[in-house]
Amino acid sequence: MAFENSRRALCHSGYQALRYVKDPAGKTDNEKFFAILLFWCRTSYQIFCAKNTSKSIARFYLDIFQFPVRYDHEHTKATIFANNMAQEIHFVEKKEIDVDADNEEHMAIYIGNFKSCFERCKKIGIIWVNPRFTMLDASKTLEQALQAEAFRIRDIKDPDTGTKLLRLEHEIRSLRHPRCPLTQYGINKKKSKM
């Protein structure tokens, strides 16, 4: 697996967060806000995946995170949309990708449906604790995840077969996480039911 233009700093820009959660009338509304995907200060990323896996990867993001997806007609690329369609991840198929390779890259996702997302991940057995970051979160149960406001997964799996499609760590954080830009900049002060 490889990231295009990897190793950039994680963006916690208040401007970026504010910019994408406004509704057409210009008001912020936490109830309408579904999820923020904060990569690095970019709105589009390309991640390489093994041949014949991008369609299943798209289904994974649709089923687990409920992100809108688009699959191209040639079946070689899937696009995952987050943050009100303002950010995209392009999974592009490439021959020489090892699905077990771990280059220690990861992404952070701030998500509004935190509890149900954890339950979907737990159901298919992909909850994972990164031994390097147990001081931040070591969530194996829903109670631990709610206390830490975070949990992690390591692998993207086929929703139908359970086959590993790609190793890519996801740090999934609730909107109440202390590092959530919506909380830091006063947008998410009211606690929501998750």
Side-chain angles (χ1 to χ4, degrees), residues 4-5 8 39-40 42 44-47 88-90:
E4 178 185 86
N5 298 320
R8 294 185 185 268
F39 259 121
W40 300 267
R42 293 192 49 185
S44 180
Y45 259 85
Q46 177 172 287
I47 300 173
E88 302 172 356
I89 313 167
H90 304 282

Side-chain angles (χ1 to χ4, degrees), residues 143-174:
E143 293 74 26
Q144 291 169 330
L146 290 171
Q147 184 176 0
E149 301 291 355
F151 67 95
R152 295 172 191 259
I153 64 173
R154 186 179 193 187
D155 297 321
I156 296 174
K157 292 188 175 184
D158 184 295
D160 298 325
T161 67
T163 304
K164 186 192 316 182
L165 303 169
L166 186 66
R167 174 151 290 167
L168 176 59
E169 181 180 348
H170 293 62
E171 181 180 357
I172 300 139
R173 297 174 174 174
S174 82

